[in-house]
Amino acid sequence: MYLTYILPLLSFVLPDLASAAGWKNLDPSKYTLRESAYYKDRVDPLAAVLPNRNVSSLLADANHANPLKSPPGVAHVVDSFSWASSSDFDDFGTTKWYPQGITGSHDAEASGLYDSSVLLVSWHSDKYDDGKRGARVSFVDRSDPSKPKYRHALLVYPNTDANGKPSFRGIKLASDEKGLHAGGMVWYGDLLYVVDTLKGVRVFDMRCILEVDDSGDGIGYVGDGKYQAYGYKYILPQVRSYTPPEEGFRFSFMSLDRTVEPHSILIGEWSPTRTDCRLARYDLDPSTHLLATSSSKIATASEVLQHPHTDIQGAIRIDGKKYFLTQSTKNLDAGSLITWTKGADNDRVYKGALMKGPEDLSYRRDGDGGKKELWTLSEHPGRRYVYAVDVDAF
């Protein structure tokens, strides 16, 4: 009888306390983003020559199953799955693509549904083909949580080819840089926000999912009326951007807080050594799903916080006051979860509470009074899981 009661306690992860002295409020007026116009001259001609599919049709065309596997060693897991792995297709172990960002229909709509229950995961190809393939997004269909399935779509930049035909390319940043790292994402309404490490935020539109020829490995217009996207069947062309006035802030990850109004996105920096990284929060306009801007199309942060932690891969604010951060922990074959509440004297550091290589964060509430789920994912080959932990356990 004694063991019956004591054994369940072994799964709990007890926190270390660290001084919160390193948390500081910074002047938010210094953190601005300029909103571009909609890329009408590039997106509309492309959408006119390619079939436009919605989220439902893409999900109906899902071509890989997500195995229902739970991340080993992680406590308080309430939901989880992994990635397809076979002799001819291996997202679980590939070194060509690395998963990074996470968001879902629970972020997009208050109902939690956008055509269906969907999770999105971004992947980068920095170490593959010189990064020129950029980033892709996995659409995971969770209409039946016991049988999740998915399909990838390539994020692309719309342009015109040498002959003036509508075309596109993978999002490679510059000739001397790798491709789009896509370290974090937020899906809000019809829009998908993706961070660009040095350049700000790129925006895509779920109403503009275009189908291309998946029989070849070309990119853009390849002749004979055909368009290809490195073998992918679907593309999401970028439709606008938000850029900082100058480089200096690293746009490493991103999350949404729709638990309080105004809804807002939180953008944070990663560094393996700095103890002054920042979190900047920008309010959203629920009528347009764009960032709230001035008449001159400038979005100014509503809050900026400095924190003392290194190796932060994801952060989120819940209920307007409690912050959760994922950390790749040095000298530990696991990841950590850090929590801080405004006004508290201490951080709580749950060392080893997550899988090694934890990334972005997304919060999902399962209905009124239902489970509070904190979703994250792990990036390392052979150890890739997408999972939710119980928010109330931390």
Side-chain angles (χ1 to χ4, degrees):
M1 180 64 72
Y2 178 77
L3 287 178
T4 300
Y5 285 97
I6 195 68
L7 284 177
L9 298 178
L10 299 179
S11 67
F12 281 74
V13 181
L14 298 177
D16 293 331
L17 297 181
S19 172
W23 288 84
K24 298 177 182 178
N25 287 300
L26 303 181
D27 182 0
S29 68
K30 296 180 179 179
Y31 296 81
T32 61
L33 297 170
R34 178 174 293 277
E35 180 184 286
S36 77
Y38 170 71
Y39 297 167
K40 182 177 178 63
D41 293 344
R42 281 168 278 173
V43 176
D44 289 3
L46 189 62
V49 297
L50 290 172
N52 197 337
R53 308 303 186 197
N54 58 23
V55 171
S56 288
S57 59
L58 187 152
L59 295 177
D61 200 22
N63 57 346
H64 299 291
N66 295 100
L68 292 179
K69 294 181 179 180
S70 186
V74 178
H76 313 302
V77 174
V78 294
D79 207 341
S80 64
F81 59 84
S82 187
W83 301 102
S85 180
S86 66
S87 59
D88 59 354
F89 188 87
D90 188 13
D91 277 338
F92 186 65
T94 183
T95 57
K96 294 180 177 179
W97 294 91
Y98 284 75
Q100 295 289 299
I102 187 167
T103 185
S105 54
H106 57 274
D107 283 338
E109 298 290 347
S111 67
L113 303 176
Y114 187 101
D115 294 346
S116 181
S117 177
V118 193
L119 277 174
L120 303 183
V121 171
S122 64
W123 305 63
H124 73 73
S125 62
D126 290 2
K127 301 177 182 180
Y128 172 40
D129 207 5
D130 196 31
K132 73 179 184 182
R133 297 177 185 240
R136 69 186 187 187
V137 172
S138 303
F139 285 71
V140 182
D141 180 1
R142 286 175 47 82
S143 54
D144 181 352
S146 69
K147 297 179 181 178
K149 54 187 177 179
Y150 70 103
R151 186 162 199 134
H152 300 306
L154 191 70
L155 299 181
V156 301
Y157 188 82
N159 58 14
T160 55
D161 69 8
N163 297 316
K165 277 193 169 291
S167 191
F168 56 86
R169 60 173 173 79
I171 304 180
K172 182 175 171 62
L173 304 185
S175 59
D176 60 344
E177 296 175 339
K178 298 299 184 183
L180 178 65
H181 195 74
M185 294 190 299
V186 162
W187 184 4
Y188 188 65
D190 297 311
L191 301 181
L192 180 65
Y193 293 82
V194 180
V195 288
D196 179 333
T197 309
L198 299 178
K199 302 298 184 182
V201 180
R202 296 176 185 257
V203 185
F204 305 82
D205 195 325
M206 291 301 189
R207 297 164 296 187
C208 190
I209 300 172
L210 305 180
E211 183 177 341
V212 297
D213 171 31
D214 61 353
S215 65
D217 203 35
I219 186 69
Y221 183 70
V222 296
D224 296 327
K226 290 184 178 181
Y227 289 81
Q228 294 178 350
Y230 298 127
Y232 293 99
K233 188 175 180 179
Y234 299 97
I235 61 170
L236 274 77
Q238 183 178 337
V239 299
R240 68 172 75 232
S241 65
Y242 290 90
T243 55
E246 58 187 31
E247 292 185 7
F249 188 97
R250 290 183 65 88
F251 296 77
S252 301
F253 46 83
M254 170 189 277
S255 63
L256 175 71
D257 183 359
R258 70 156 53 238
T259 61
V260 295
E261 294 184 352
H263 300 158
S264 60
I265 60 172
L266 184 70
I267 302 172
E269 300 180 289
W270 170 84
S271 172
T273 58
R274 285 175 48 198
T275 56
D276 62 350
C277 283
R278 295 156 290 183
L279 301 171
R281 189 165 57 81
Y282 295 86
D283 294 338
L284 289 153
D285 182 341
S287 65
T288 64
H289 302 129
L290 296 167
L291 297 187
T293 62
S294 67
S295 58
S296 55
K297 297 300 180 183
I298 299 296
T300 301
S302 53
E303 180 183 49
V304 179
L305 294 168
Q306 177 181 298
H307 66 81
H309 301 287
T310 61
D311 286 303
I312 299 303
Q313 303 271 46
I316 196 167
R317 187 188 74 164
I318 298 175
D319 294 332
K321 60 182 180 179
K322 188 168 183 178
Y323 289 79
F324 294 78
L325 291 76
T326 61
Q327 183 180 51
S328 291
T329 310
K330 293 182 176 70
N331 304 316
L332 186 67
D333 193 34
S336 296
L337 185 67
I338 299 169
T339 68
W340 175 70
T341 302
K342 279 188 175 182
D345 294 331
N346 296 297
D347 296 336
R348 292 179 176 268
V349 182
Y350 297 85
K351 290 184 179 179
L354 304 174
M355 281 289 294
K356 182 178 180 180
E359 292 291 331
D360 209 21
L361 286 168
S362 183
Y363 173 70
R364 177 180 181 270
R365 182 73 180 266
D366 189 11
D368 293 336
K371 291 184 298 183
K372 299 177 182 179
E373 302 171 349
L374 190 63
W375 282 87
T376 188
L377 66 156
S378 49
E379 69 168 335
H380 292 291
R383 304 179 70 175
R384 289 182 177 142
Y385 300 85
V386 181
Y387 57 99
V389 295
D390 182 0
V391 169
D392 289 334
F394 297 97

